[in-house]
Amino acid sequence: MSRPLHRGVPAIRVTSSSNGLLDSQVKEQIEKEELDRNQSSHRSRHRLTILLLKSSLVVIVILALTGSFWWTLSISTSSRGHIFHSSRRLQEQLVSDLWDIGELSFGTSRMKEIEFCPGELENYIPCFNVSENLDSGFSDGNEYDRVCRQGSRQNCLVLPPMNYKIPLRWPTGRYIIWVANVKITGQEVFTSGSLTKRMMMLEEEQISFRSASLMFDGVEDYSHQIAEMIGLRNESNFIQAGIRTILDIGCGYGSFGAHLFSEQILTICIANYESSGSQVQLTLERGLPAMIGSFSSKQLPHPSLSFDLLHCARCGIDWDKNDGSFLIEVDRVLRPGGYFVWTSPLINVQSSLRNKEKQKRWNFVRDFAENLCWELMSQQDETVVWKKTSKKTCYNSRISGSGPSICSKVQDVEFPYYRPLQNCIGGMHSRRWVPIEERATWPSRSNLNPSELALYGLHLDELNEDTANYRIIVRNYWSLLSPLIFSDHPKRPGDEDPSPPYNMLRNVLDMNARYGGLNAALLEARKSVWVMNVVPTTGPKYLPLILDRGYFGVLHDWCEAFPTYPRTYDMVHAEGLLSLESSQHWRCTMLDIFTEIDRMLRPEGWIIIRDAALLIDSARVLTRRLKWEARVIEIESNNDERLLICQKPFFKRQPS
């Protein structure tokens, strides 16, 4: 018979004649099976150990990569500067170590860094190429026009000039700038031009700006003269007269606006692109608002009825040319009851009487202004002041055929974006036709009333909520952006970092400004900044609201270059911009937008991007290509969004 001898061992037949031999064979068989079973168990444990080790390595690599991408901090809505403590430098070292591990995991597949631009592109501005425009047949001033050609953008990083230095902090920087930071020659400093262009002295390494000038007693006296011509005691009464925002055309180097800044007047300079001795570049270097803009052939990227006063002091524009279309554009952006101030030798009565050509040109401008329903308030020496009518009925009372017609609803576009100049009067169909004397004066103007907000489909509680949110955001930003965060400044153990200085930033660009909430919060916190509020062409059109609040703003397409010189902003802010562009199916790449940010940003400047978590993750990867120092911060109150804070390093140009 047969029976099993051992579980797992095959049955064998046993006979009485072979018991001893079988006992020996069975014993050997059992020992062999035990040995095999032990070896199998050992191999299983070994495989399990290897699997656990591999899994652990995978987890470590993932954590390393995550650590290199995210430096996770939690910011509550009530957090203040105390969120950073003395353990910060340990965290910084940990992030650096984890990034090194992450780079090893990338190996040769690491994304290539963006190269630096050639030295001749240190003042590179896409869309402004005078030589290409001339080759294309542009002339009569149109060669300075903004033309964004296909492929005009170069994805390279613009290096600063040799001997570039970080600008002096405000308010010192308003009066002194470094010569090496701008492109200008000694001859250009003293050439003729705008009245305020000569208010400067060239020293060894610096340009200092002064009020006194051989041409007239000074910008203070000039501003005082304008106030008196308007009917005010002095320029400190501009606010009471409803004047808050001024567009200074061909501003020289911004001295007029620099003087009025102390009176809470916001003056923005616009001037043509200039390859050297740029009015816009020097004005921005002083920490004053400016952008490239031209009256040559296209409308400005501002809504109708945007400014309280327009100023032109020898600004180089021939107002009598082009059938008066330049004056029509002035009228379009000027609010009802606003002022146009023009200073020119053409206005000098005695000089014009001796020169028939001058007299003819002056007569054209004077008569055309009258047909625009402008009131000539005063004329002194070389300066004249007109006041735009506050009553629409004036246009109907004109003699038939005596002036430009009123634009139709089709022609009267409230949000023009570099449209050709029109030959009809715009802004007449706007619901924002409110005389400046009937508007609330600054700073009350920044808080629009419910009827004003209703024009934009907003309720008062929406604006109040936006304002409250940005109060908290600005407090957090100011703590995060302190230059002391990663410094080795001396302090006692346990002490917190000193409060960031109020003037560590000056020129701020908000790429998706919405209602102007960031601007409002920064001013309320008494930070020494001005904000260029940008409303994307692809987003909600709240630019008129921003302007009506007494701030400055402009319409712009971020798939094109912004009309400014390199190294002109201390901080660039973008909330929801990436989501907005992704909703448009990315008409341009994220890299295109980021290289433009890098071009506009000063060395050691800051970038703050708040957006959807997935977009922030993608953006974080690109920062390595741009050589930015970046941190991702989680927002405790909103798990769907993250904050990306970057700083642009100061790369010095090496001598060739």
Side-chain angles (χ1 to χ4, degrees):
M1 64 179 294
S2 66
R3 60 181 178 88
L5 296 179
H6 197 279
R7 181 174 296 182
V9 179
I12 57 174
R13 292 188 64 84
V14 180
T15 63
S16 57
S17 62
S18 58
N19 284 342
L21 178 61
L22 285 177
D23 287 342
S24 176
Q25 289 177 340
V26 168
K27 184 177 180 181
E28 289 178 1
Q29 180 72 15
I30 292 172
E31 289 177 352
K32 182 178 180 182
E33 291 292 335
E34 287 287 350
L35 179 62
D36 289 343
R37 203 164 53 251
N38 290 338
Q39 289 177 344
S40 176
S41 176
H42 179 74
R43 283 195 297 268
S44 298
R45 286 196 299 270
H46 181 71
R47 283 196 296 269
L48 180 60
T49 302
I50 293 297
L51 180 61
L52 288 173
L53 286 173
K54 287 182 178 180
S55 300
S56 300
L57 286 173
V58 169
V59 171
I60 290 172
V61 169
I62 291 174
L63 288 175
L65 292 176
T66 305
S68 70
F69 290 153
W70 301 342
W71 181 25
T72 306
L73 296 172
S74 294
I75 298 181
S76 67
T77 56
S78 61
S79 62
R80 302 290 295 273
H82 66 267
I83 58 177
F84 295 101
H85 299 286
S86 57
S87 62
R88 183 180 305 113
R89 297 199 60 80
L90 293 176
Q91 293 174 324
E92 178 74 358
Q93 185 61 48
L94 176 61
V95 170
S96 177
D97 294 342
L98 289 177
W99 175 254
D100 292 338
I101 297 173
E103 278 198 328
L104 291 175
S105 68
F106 274 117
T108 57
S109 63
R110 180 185 173 191
M111 298 179 73
K112 185 179 179 182
E113 291 185 343
I114 305 298
E115 296 181 354
F116 292 114
C117 298
E120 60 269 18
L121 294 181
E122 66 184 29
N123 289 300
Y124 167 62
I125 310 177
C127 301
F128 289 92
N129 192 316
V130 176
S131 58
E132 279 192 34
N133 288 350
L134 288 171
D135 292 341
S136 300
F138 290 79
S139 60
D140 298 329
N142 294 340
E143 63 270 20
Y144 298 101
D145 273 1
R146 173 183 178 277
V147 181
C148 293
R149 297 178 175 86
Q150 188 70 24
S152 62
R153 185 194 301 269
Q154 297 191 32
N155 280 340
C156 58
L157 305 181
V158 179
L159 281 171
M162 290 287 293
N163 303 318
Y164 179 89
K165 296 181 180 180
I166 301 300
L168 300 172
R169 281 186 179 169
W170 182 271
T172 305
R174 172 167 45 169
Y175 304 108
I176 300 174
I177 65 173
W178 301 109
V179 175
N181 289 12
V182 295
K183 189 175 182 181
I184 190 170
T185 63
Q187 183 180 0
E188 286 171 329
V189 173
F190 303 108
T191 54
S192 60
S194 168
L195 277 178
T196 55
K197 219 174 183 182
R198 290 189 177 182
M199 296 181 190
M200 52 194 295
M201 296 178 63
L202 183 62
E203 300 175 0
E204 287 187 5
E205 291 187 340
Q206 297 175 337
I207 297 175
S208 62
F209 297 84
R210 65 187 192 276
S211 299
S213 171
L214 298 175
M215 300 181 68
F216 59 105
D217 293 336
V219 69
E220 293 90 346
D221 291 342
Y222 177 64
S223 303
H224 189 81
Q225 177 191 3
I226 292 173
E228 289 183 333
M229 294 174 71
I230 289 174
L232 306 173
R233 184 177 179 180
N234 52 49
E235 60 269 34
S236 64
N237 298 117
F238 277 162
I239 292 289
Q240 284 70 29
I243 299 172
R244 157 66 179 170
T245 54
I246 295 177
L247 186 66
D248 194 0
I249 307 163
C251 62
Y253 299 131
S255 294
F256 181 63
H259 171 66
L260 293 178
F261 179 81
S262 59
E263 305 296 340
Q264 299 189 60
I265 303 296
L266 182 63
T267 304
I268 177 75
C269 163
I270 64 165
N272 279 337
Y273 164 78
E274 297 165 291
S275 59
S276 181
S278 166
Q279 302 170 69
V280 170
Q281 187 182 41
L282 268 77
T283 300
L284 285 163
E285 191 68 20
R286 297 181 65 183
L288 300 168
M291 62 176 284
I292 301 172
S294 173
F295 272 82
S296 57
S297 64
K298 296 176 182 177
Q299 290 181 323
L300 298 173
H302 308 294
S304 301
L305 318 179
S306 293
F307 299 99
D308 304 316
L309 187 149
L310 269 74
H311 174 252
C312 164
R314 296 189 181 182
C315 61
I317 296 178
D318 296 325
W319 297 107
D320 58 310
K321 302 297 183 183
N322 207 16
D323 299 325
S325 60
F326 303 150
L327 290 170
I328 292 175
E329 178 65 2
V330 169
D331 182 84
R332 183 186 71 82
V333 298
L334 194 61
R335 288 195 173 101
Y339 302 91
F340 178 52
V341 180
W342 182 31
T343 297
S344 169
L346 198 65
I347 299 168
N348 190 298
V349 177
Q350 298 300 324
S351 174
S352 296
L353 290 174
R354 293 191 299 268
N355 188 315
K356 290 186 177 180
E357 180 61 27
K358 282 187 177 181
Q359 186 176 8
K360 180 182 177 182
R361 294 178 62 192
W362 161 244
N363 288 342
F364 176 88
V365 175
R366 182 194 60 198
D367 295 343
F368 200 90
E370 183 179 352
N371 289 326
L372 287 172
C373 284
W374 292 0
E375 176 191 354
L376 199 160
M377 298 195 67
S378 182
Q379 182 178 348
Q380 294 181 16
D381 302 325
E382 295 186 349
T383 302
V384 61
V385 176
W386 282 284
K387 181 179 176 68
K388 178 177 176 176
T389 184
S390 299
K391 300 177 180 179
K392 292 183 179 181
T393 54
C394 173
Y395 299 101
N396 297 326
S397 63
R398 297 178 301 170
I399 300 174
S400 179
S402 60
S405 61
I406 296 174
C407 293
S408 65
K409 286 187 177 182
V410 176
Q411 295 172 307
D412 197 2
V413 178
E414 189 165 13
F415 306 99
Y417 186 65
Y418 298 107
R419 292 174 70 235
L421 289 172
Q422 303 293 298
N423 57 4
C424 57
I425 299 174
M428 293 292 293
H429 300 281
S430 174
R431 295 179 296 170
R432 297 169 49 248
W433 181 281
V434 180
I436 62 171
E437 54 267 21
E438 295 180 16
R439 291 180 179 271
T441 57
W442 179 263
S444 299
R445 180 190 287 191
S446 62
N447 301 312
L448 299 181
N449 61 48
S451 61
E452 291 172 319
L453 290 172
L455 297 176
Y456 310 101
L458 295 176
H459 298 289
L460 185 59
D461 56 348
E462 292 179 89
L463 186 64
N464 290 340
E465 183 182 357
D466 183 73
T467 302
N469 287 338
Y470 269 102
R471 286 195 190 106
I472 297 169
I473 287 170
V474 164
R475 284 200 298 267
N476 289 332
Y477 284 177
W478 215 254
S479 298
L480 291 165
L481 294 182
S482 171
L484 305 173
I485 287 179
F486 302 112
S487 68
D488 292 317
H489 60 282
K491 61 179 180 181
R492 294 179 180 178
D495 286 354
E496 294 192 12
D497 292 325
S499 298
Y502 78 102
N503 62 344
M504 69 177 180
L505 300 174
R506 176 59 186 168
N507 300 357
V508 175
L509 177 71
D510 194 355
M511 299 178 72
N512 188 22
R514 288 174 54 80
Y515 312 143
L518 179 68
N519 196 152
L522 286 168
L523 292 182
E524 185 179 299
R526 299 184 179 277
K527 307 305 181 186
S528 63
V529 305
W530 69 271
V531 180
M532 176 69 78
N533 295 287
V534 181
V535 173
T537 55
T538 54
K541 302 298 188 294
Y542 288 121
L543 183 55
L545 180 149
I546 292 172
L547 294 163
D548 287 349
R549 296 185 72 181
Y551 310 140
F552 180 73
V554 65
L555 199 65
H556 185 67
D557 181 351
W558 282 116
C559 284
E560 299 173 351
F562 193 73
T564 192
Y565 290 81
R567 304 172 300 279
T568 50
Y569 287 96
D570 302 306
M571 186 182 91
V572 174
H573 177 259
E575 181 178 355
L577 179 68
L578 301 181
S579 293
L580 180 64
E581 289 300 327
S582 66
S583 69
Q584 302 295 319
H585 306 292
W586 290 108
R587 299 170 302 117
C588 55
T589 67
M590 192 184 295
L591 182 62
D592 291 334
I593 296 173
F594 279 20
T595 52
E596 177 62 8
I597 292 174
D598 187 89
R599 186 187 70 85
M600 297 185 294
L601 198 65
R602 287 172 173 168
E604 298 186 2
W606 297 91
I607 309 105
I608 300 181
I609 302 173
R610 178 170 178 163
D611 222 304
L614 289 175
L615 291 170
I616 291 296
D617 294 346
S618 300
R620 176 62 181 88
V621 176
L622 281 181
T623 61
R624 291 294 298 177
R625 299 189 65 188
L626 294 157
K627 306 175 178 68
W628 294 349
E629 299 170 3
R631 305 288 181 266
V632 172
I633 298 175
E634 289 191 349
I635 302 169
E636 191 174 81
S637 59
N638 190 339
N639 295 328
D640 296 329
E641 292 186 349
R642 288 197 179 99
L643 201 65
L644 176 63
I645 297 186
C646 311
Q647 188 175 30
K648 176 181 175 178
F650 185 177
F651 292 106
K652 292 188 177 182
R653 183 182 299 280
Q654 300 299 321
S656 55

